[in-house]
Amino acid sequence: MFTHVMLGSNDLKRSRAFYDATFAALGGNPGEMDARGRLIYVHEGGRLMITKPIDGKPATAANGGTIGIAATSPDHVLAWHAAGTAHGGTAIESPPAERPNGAFVAYLRDPDENKLSCRSQPRR
């Protein structure tokens, strides 16, 4: 359904440290900077792009918005959460845990306050 997700950042170096670490925890590769100065992560067909806003105004987090990131296991969710908090992210909501539907979920805010969640599918 989506071709990519784009997030604004006020500090691409800080964002790169955070997202490189969290994607590495999920088995992904470090981001690459394109010719337009956007940081791009490609993983399993999805693209996450981080950029300074093109209007020159400060980047702000979406009120009510959450970006969901898929993980293959609860261990990957835990590694993602640990990498994120170690690289400038903030743990939010409940600690990483299994939900009543069997999915294992963790939440963070990135260094620019964007809300992220990482989830592994329920065990079957």
Side-chain angles (χ1 to χ4, degrees), residues 86-102:
H87 289 87
T90 304
I92 58 170
E93 297 190 17
S94 62
E98 187 171 329
R99 299 289 196 231
N101 68 358

Side-chain angles (χ1 to χ4, degrees), residues 34-113:
D34 73 3
R36 295 170 69 184
R38 299 175 300 190
L39 187 55
I40 300 173
Y41 294 86
V42 179
H43 187 65
E44 296 185 9
R47 291 170 59 95
L48 177 66
M49 301 167 73
I50 314 294
T51 188
K52 288 194 174 256
I54 61 173
D55 65 4
K57 295 179 183 174
T60 58
N63 185 18
T66 303
I67 305 297
I69 299 168
T72 58
S73 70
D75 287 341
H76 277 131
V77 173
L78 292 170
W80 174 87
H81 193 265
T85 56
H87 289 87
T90 304
I92 58 170
E93 297 190 17
S94 62
E98 187 171 329
R99 299 289 196 231
N101 68 358
F104 197 85
V105 181
Y107 289 90
L108 291 172
R109 289 224 181 249
D110 76 3
D112 287 288
E113 296 295 315

